[in-house]
Amino acid sequence: MDHWGAGGGKFATIPNDTQHPFEGRTFGAAKRREIRGTAAFGSRYPYGVTNQTTLSGRPFPFGVWPLYWGHNHMGADEYGPQLDSVRPGGLVVQVSLRTTTEHFNVTDDEVYYAVGDRESLLLLMISYVTWCHVTPAWPSRFVPASENSTVKLENVIQYFRASSFALATPAYNNALARSSISNSMDSSPLPQYIQYSPFRQCIENVTADALAIANDPNKLGPLQMFTVVMSIGGFWICSIILFILIPFIQIIMPVRAQIQKKIWGDPRIIAQTRQNTHQNREIEMRYQRYP
C-alpha cells in the first residue's frame, strides 16, 4: 500500500494455501485515477463486477476490501468487523473533519467524517491538516449497526477506493442509499452549501490524491530500489564488486609502475641519487661553516 502512489501494474491472486479468508480473490492493478466512486455503495469498481446488487465475492482492485454497514447490506457482511484484525490498514475507524472560519467560509454544522482503515486515516490526517487546515482529531471505532452511530449509510457523500473508504456528513441524507444498485448515479441532491463548499472540495481532492492504494510492485522509485537491493542483495553485490575490483588492481598497479619507471626512471636509482645529493650537500655546508 502506498500513499500518493499511482497504482497500476498487474493484478495478483491470494493463494489458496494461505488460510486467508479471501483465498482465490484477485487484488491490485487499479490506477489512482480510478479511485473516486459516487454516493452509491459499491460504485465504480475498476474490474470484476458481475452482479450490481451485491459486493459479495468481488475482487479488491486497490488492495483493500469494502466497508460494511451491518444487516448484510448488499452482501457486505463478509467484510465485517470479524475480519478487522486482518484487514489491510487495521480496523475500520471514523474521524471528524472540521476547520475554522479563518481558512474557509464554513458554518458550525459543516463537519465531515472520513471512514476507513486506521492506518490510512492516521496518515491522511497529516495531509488534511496540511492542505485543508483540518483541526487535528483522533479516530474512533466505526460501529455502523449501532443506533447511536455518528455516521450512517445515508450520510455518505462519496465513496473511494472501491468502497473501502468514505466521506460523509450528518447534514446529508441520501434517501436512495439503501435502494440504489452499485452502478447507480442516482442519489439525493447535496445541500447547496455542501455542494459548493471549498472545504468539502479540498478534503475530497486530498483523499483522491493521497489515500493509500496497492502500488505496482514493478515500479520502484530510486530510493526504494536502492533500499531493496542493498537490504536483500547488498552482500552479494559487494562481493561481485570486490571480485571484479581486486584482479583489476592486481593488473593495473604493475602497469602503472612500469609507466612511471619509463617516465621518471627507476625509483631505486632516484632514491640513491637523492641520498648522494643530500650527503654531498652536507659536505658543502661543513666546508662553508669552516672558519
Side-chain angles (χ1 to χ4, degrees):
M1 303 295 289
D2 186 14
H3 288 264
W4 300 93
K10 297 180 179 180
F11 63 76
T13 302
I14 301 173
N16 289 322
D17 57 353
T18 59
Q19 303 300 315
H20 194 279
F22 299 115
E23 289 180 342
R25 300 278 182 99
T26 54
F27 66 93
K31 298 178 175 61
R32 182 164 293 277
R33 64 173 179 263
E34 301 170 308
I35 199 171
R36 292 178 187 259
T38 67
F41 189 44
S43 56
R44 291 182 179 169
Y45 262 65
Y47 64 83
V49 178
T50 58
N51 186 344
Q52 298 287 352
T53 65
T54 181
L55 274 68
S56 178
R58 290 192 185 185
F60 313 132
F62 296 97
V64 186
W65 49 82
L67 299 173
Y68 51 85
W69 292 101
H71 308 295
N72 203 28
H73 176 66
M74 295 187 69
D77 272 10
E78 67 173 359
Y79 312 115
Q82 74 277 5
L83 296 181
D84 276 357
S85 61
V86 294
R87 176 183 286 269
L91 58 86
V92 180
V93 295
Q94 64 185 43
V95 66
S96 61
L97 305 176
R98 304 173 187 268
T99 189
T100 62
T101 54
E102 179 182 357
H103 302 289
F104 291 98
N105 183 21
V106 294
T107 58
D108 292 339
D109 61 343
E110 188 172 350
V111 55
Y112 302 93
Y113 285 86
V115 181
D117 63 274
R118 180 176 53 197
E119 289 185 14
S120 291
L121 267 177
L122 288 175
L123 289 171
L124 262 181
M125 179 56 72
I126 299 172
S127 298
Y128 288 147
V129 172
T130 302
W131 300 102
C132 302
H133 308 286
V134 166
T135 303
W138 194 253
S140 59
R141 185 71 181 265
F142 177 60
V143 189
S146 171
E147 293 182 359
N148 299 321
S149 176
T150 306
V151 180
K152 301 183 183 301
L153 176 66
E154 292 82 2
N155 300 144
V156 175
I157 59 178
Q158 187 164 11
Y159 287 98
F160 296 85
R161 203 176 61 181
S163 290
S164 63
F165 194 92
L167 289 178
T169 175
Y172 176 60
N173 183 43
N174 182 8
L176 303 176
R178 295 190 181 274
S179 60
S180 62
I181 57 177
S182 61
N183 68 340
S184 175
M185 298 296 292
D186 295 333
S187 60
S188 301
L190 291 170
Q192 284 197 351
Y193 76 93
I194 293 177
Q195 182 178 358
Y196 299 108
S197 168
F199 179 48
R200 178 193 64 80
Q201 293 170 2
C202 182
I203 60 178
E204 283 191 2
N205 289 335
V206 167
T207 301
D209 291 340
L211 183 60
I213 61 175
N215 220 15
D216 181 359
N218 297 316
K219 291 183 179 180
L220 297 178
L223 180 59
Q224 292 172 307
M225 183 65 74
F226 175 80
T227 303
V228 171
V229 168
M230 293 309 294
S231 62
I232 297 176
F235 171 78
W236 294 108
I237 290 174
C238 292
S239 300
I240 292 171
I241 291 173
L242 290 175
F243 181 77
I244 297 172
L245 189 59
I246 290 175
F248 176 77
I249 294 174
Q250 291 174 338
I251 293 171
I252 200 66
M253 291 304 291
V255 174
R256 179 175 178 270
Q258 290 296 325
I259 294 174
Q260 287 181 330
K261 185 175 180 180
K262 290 182 178 180
I263 296 176
W264 304 106
D266 192 326
R268 290 172 294 182
I269 297 175
I270 293 173
Q272 184 63 43
T273 304
R274 287 176 178 173
Q275 183 177 1
N276 294 339
T277 302
H278 179 71
Q279 290 174 348
N280 292 338
R281 181 58 180 160
E282 283 292 322
I283 295 172
E284 291 176 359
M285 290 296 291
R286 286 199 297 271
Y287 175 79
Q288 292 173 2
R289 289 196 299 266
Y290 189 78

